[in-house]
Amino acid sequence: MIILDFLKRIGLKPEDLDKEPTPEDLGQMHSFTPQQGRYAKHTYQLSDITSEYQWAKKRLMMEVEYLIALGNEFQNYYGRRERLIENPFSETQKAALRSLYENFSPVDFKNFSTMDNKTHHDIVATILLSLYKMHKTGDIVDPDLMQRSMHVGRTSDDINSNVFSLMLSDILAKYWLPSYLGLSEMFIEKAEDWHEVPEGYERPFTVVAGQTHEQYAVPIPIKKIASNIVAQMEEGLAPFLVKESESYGPFRFTGKMGGAVGNDSAMHAAYPGHEWRSFYRKFIEDLGLEYKETSDQNESNMRILQFFEHVINANDPLLKWGDDYSSYLSRKMLKKKVGKGSKGSSIMPQKINPWRTEGAEFFLYEANAELAVYHLLARQRKQGSLQRSAARRYIGIPFSNIVIAIARIGEDLKKTFPDYEGIEKELLEHPEIASASAQMILRAGGVPDAYDRMVELTKGKQVTPEIIGGVVDEMVSVREITPEIGKDVRGIFIHENNVGDALEIACRDLRSARETNERLREVYHLDV
C-alpha cells in the first residue's frame, strides 16, 4: 500500500501508531501553553522551582524556619516584656516543625488551596495549614504557642519576597545556568571540530570568506567565528562570578525582614530596645540570601532587575548566532544533516530549513520583552502594591522560553558541519577578500597609492587570481615593487596565509571560556 511505503520512508512502522496516549501525551495535547505542552521536555524542571506547589511549600518553610529562629532569638531578649517564646524548641520539636514542609504532599497542597480559597490570603492559609498539620501529628508543638508566635511582626512580603529570591536562586543555579553552559561547551567543541579539515583537503585548516555589511571582506578561520560567539557568551556569564577576596562566589539575591513598610515598627513596639536587625541579618543569610536592610513593604528589587538585565545581555550572542546561522547555511558555508523522513518544506523538496534556530530567536525576543516588564517590581505604588504578586507567579515563563531557545539552537548545532565544497567555491569566487592585506604590503613596499590601485582593481568588479597575479607581475617587471614584495602579495591571496592573529586569539578565548565554565560549575556545584 502507498501509505505503508510512505511510513517506511520516514522510518515508521504500523505498530508505531494507534497507541493509547500516555498521561504525558494528554498533558501535551490539552496544555494551554506550548511551554508545558509541546516543549515540556525542556521545561519540566521548573515544576520543582516555580510551580504553585513549590510556592506553597516554600512559604511553609519560611514560616517554620522563622518560628524556630524566633524561639532561639528570644533567649537573647532581656527587656521589660515577657518573652513570646519562653524556651527554644527542642530537637524533637524542631524535627516535627520541619517535617511540616519537608513532608509536604499533594494532599497538603490541596488542603492549602482549600484554605486559600476561603481566606483569600496565601500567608493566612499557610499558617492555618501548619496548625492543621501539627494537630495531626499529635500537637508535638503547642498549637497555642504556634498560633501566637508564627508570623509575628511580619508582613506577607517578608515571606513572599524571600521565597521569590530563593526561587530565582534555583532558576539561576539549577535551570538557566546549566543550559547556558551546555550550549557554550557545544560551541567550544564545534570550534575545534570545524577547524579540522577532511583528508585530502588542500588547506591546513578551515578558512572562510568573512563578511561585513553583507559584503565579502577578509578571510577568517571558522574557528574564530565560533570562538567569537563563545567569548561573547563568556562575557554574558561574567556577572554570575562574584569576586570574593581570594576566590569567587555566586551571584546572590537579596532578602528582607522590614515589616509592613520597612520600619519594623511592630517588633520594636512589642519588644523595644532589642537589636532585631542583627537577628534578621543572620536569618536571611542562613537562607543563602544577602540581607537588605533598606526596604518599604518590599525591598527595592534592584538586585533582581540586575539579574534579569544580565540574562537579557547573555541572550545577545544567541540572537546574533541565530541571525548569522541562516546566512551561513544559505551561503553553503555550513550545512545541516537531517534525519530520515525529515522535511524542510511541504512544497519545496530541496529545502533544509534552520527552523529550530529561527524559532529560538522568537523565544529569546519574547523572553527579553517579558523580563523587561519586571521593572514594575521596583516601581510599586507608594510603599507596596500587589502587582508584584502576579509578576512573581509568572517568572517561569520567560526562563522557560530562554531554555527552549537554548535547546533548539543546540539541536541544530549538533547537526551542523562545514560545507567544504561551498566554502572553497566561495573563496575561489572572491579573491578580492585579500585586497586589504595586499594593499598594505604594497604600501610597505613603497607604493604610495596602493589603496587606490586596489580600489581600481577590485571595487565592484569580478576579479580572478590570474588577473591579480598579472597586475603584480607587471609591477615587478617595471620595478615598481621588488620581486620579494611581489611574492608576498601573491602569497596573501592564499587565504590561510591571511588570517593574522585569528587562531591565536581563538585558542586563547576558547581556553578562557573553558576556565570560566569550570569555575562556574565549582561555584554553583554543577555537573554539566
Side-chain angles (χ1 to χ4, degrees), residues 219-394:
I220 182 172
I222 201 167
K223 184 175 186 176
K224 181 68 161 54
I225 290 176
S227 71
N228 283 350
I229 297 294
V230 171
Q232 280 187 285
M233 293 179 74
E234 183 187 12
E235 288 187 72
L237 290 169
F240 303 108
L241 278 175
V242 180
K243 195 78 170 70
E244 296 178 349
S245 61
E246 300 301 316
S247 62
Y248 288 90
F251 182 93
R252 292 199 185 277
F253 294 91
T254 50
K256 54 87 66 174
M257 277 278 168
V261 295
N263 301 344
D264 201 33
S265 307
M267 291 299 278
H268 283 283
Y271 302 99
H274 189 68
E275 180 46 62
W276 288 108
R277 280 180 294 178
S278 297
F279 164 61
Y280 299 147
R281 180 180 298 279
K282 183 178 186 310
F283 178 73
I284 292 298
E285 290 178 352
D286 285 348
L287 293 172
L289 304 175
E290 182 179 314
Y291 177 54
K292 188 72 180 293
E293 189 173 280
T294 301
S295 72
D296 41 36
Q297 186 172 92
N298 188 222
E299 57 117 335
S300 69
N301 289 298
M302 295 305 289
R303 186 71 58 83
I304 290 173
L305 297 185
Q306 289 171 11
F307 170 55
F308 293 160
E309 193 64 34
H310 295 328
V311 170
I312 290 171
N313 291 341
N315 285 341
D316 282 339
L318 311 188
L319 285 165
K320 171 184 166 47
W321 173 254
D323 197 38
D324 291 345
Y325 182 61
S326 296
S327 173
Y328 294 152
L329 290 176
S330 64
R331 283 171 53 191
K332 298 189 182 303
M333 189 182 100
L334 296 175
K335 62 183 178 181
K336 192 176 91 168
K337 290 185 179 179
V338 295
K340 185 177 181 181
S342 179
K343 307 292 186 246
S345 167
S346 61
I347 187 64
M348 296 168 282
Q350 80 279 12
K351 297 288 288 296
I352 300 176
N353 290 331
W355 56 273
R356 290 186 181 89
T357 299
E358 288 178 332
E361 292 179 82
F362 165 79
F363 283 109
L364 291 170
Y365 280 121
E366 180 70 12
N368 286 354
E370 289 160 349
L371 290 174
V373 173
Y374 277 83
H375 282 280
L376 67 84
L377 292 176
R379 301 169 185 168
Q380 58 187 351
R381 298 187 187 99
K382 306 299 187 291
Q383 283 69 56
S385 163
L386 282 176
Q387 284 181 330
R388 62 182 182 268
S389 179
R392 288 169 180 161
R393 284 184 165 90
Y394 189 79

Side-chain angles (χ1 to χ4, degrees), residues 29-62:
M29 193 184 308
H30 298 294
S31 174
F32 183 70
T33 66
Q35 289 89 349
Q36 290 183 299
R38 182 180 182 89
Y39 304 112
K41 66 179 180 180
H42 304 307
T43 65
Y44 70 91
Q45 303 100 311
L46 281 173
S47 293
D48 292 331
I49 300 175
T50 66
S51 65
E52 283 297 310
Y53 179 88
Q54 289 299 325
W55 268 105
K57 181 178 179 179
K58 287 184 171 72
R59 286 191 201 100
L60 185 54
M61 179 275 294
M62 280 290 301

